Amino acid sequence: MAIDEPPYSVVRADDTLEVRHYEPYLVAETLVKAPADEAGNQGFRILAGYIFGGNKGERRIEMTAPVALTPTKIAMTAPVAQSASVGGYLIQFAMPREWTLETLPEPTDPRVTLRAVPARTIAVIRYTGTWSQSRYEDHLKTLKDTLAQRGQTWHGEPVWARYDPPWKPWFLRRNEIWLELD
């Protein structure tokens, strides 16, 4: 069964990474204040509630890929002023292409927000296997090192994009890490 993905074109590809230009697309997202190993599951459940009818009109929205997880940093204002702390993870579901911000049903869960992601160019490293933090960190290091060696700069936090359900055999799972290029 084919699952819809945000539209992109491949700008450049080699054995290590792929550079993609993404067209604008819509996401449903939620901020989860939990460790990485818990945030993905918590965020998935919140967003799944939205697409499975937890919205005004109780409309179902087709599942898409990937499920994206991005670490966020939130400045603390109290009790310790001006210190930064890990604020959690932003979990996103890309919305199917036929929807617009005007036609997507309004979420009934206040933790779910809808927004447009602008066009952008992304460096991507792709790998198979489990969703462990150590595998993520190893591949992120490879992606950053490769970009640095090529003199390519990036900005923002990395995005961990997971394309498959947990019941898919680990050796067939598609995982990616994205960095937005300058």
Side-chain angles (χ1 to χ4, degrees):
M1 181 171 86
I3 292 182
D4 197 17
E5 294 182 28
Y8 68 86
S9 57
V10 176
V11 176
R12 183 173 61 254
D14 59 38
D15 292 341
T16 306
L17 63 88
E18 193 170 79
V19 175
R20 299 176 185 162
H21 179 74
Y22 277 86
E23 299 300 320
Y25 62 96
L26 303 176
V27 295
E29 62 188 11
T30 189
L31 179 63
V32 178
K33 295 179 181 178
D37 58 343
E38 298 172 21
N41 288 334
Q42 288 179 25
F44 185 93
R45 285 191 300 273
I46 292 166
L47 295 173
Y50 169 70
I51 69 169
F52 295 143
N55 56 66
K56 292 186 178 175
E58 299 178 353
R59 298 182 67 187
R60 291 182 65 86
I61 299 168
E62 291 296 316
M63 185 70 191
T64 62
V67 174
L69 183 135
T70 307
T72 62
K73 296 186 179 182
I74 299 173
M76 299 269 302
T77 57
V80 181
Q82 301 301 314
S83 72
S85 137
V86 174
Y89 290 87
L90 189 64
I91 314 300
Q92 295 178 334
F93 282 9
M95 295 290 95
R97 295 177 214 185
E98 67 266 16
W99 296 94
T100 67
L101 280 177
E102 293 75 29
T103 61
L104 275 169
E106 184 180 335
T108 54
D109 186 332
R111 298 172 295 178
V112 176
T113 57
L114 306 174
R115 76 175 176 93
V117 176
R120 58 199 175 140
T121 302
I122 305 288
V124 178
I125 191 165
R126 187 175 182 168
Y127 63 99
T128 59
T130 60
W131 297 327
S132 73
Q133 186 69 28
S134 63
R135 289 180 51 76
Y136 165 80
E137 289 169 4
D138 289 345
H139 287 88
L140 177 58
K141 182 178 180 338
T142 300
L143 178 58
K144 286 181 173 181
D145 289 350
T146 302
L147 290 172
Q149 289 169 2
R150 296 176 183 182
Q152 181 67 60
T153 57
W154 65 90
H155 62 274
E157 295 292 334
V159 174
W160 190 5
R162 300 184 290 186
Y163 287 80
D164 301 301
W167 56 84
K168 188 166 191 173
W170 64 270
F171 55 89
L172 295 175
R173 290 182 190 164
R174 176 182 168 193
N175 305 298
E176 295 178 345
I177 301 171
W178 301 354
L179 287 173
E180 186 169 355
L181 298 177
D182 292 333

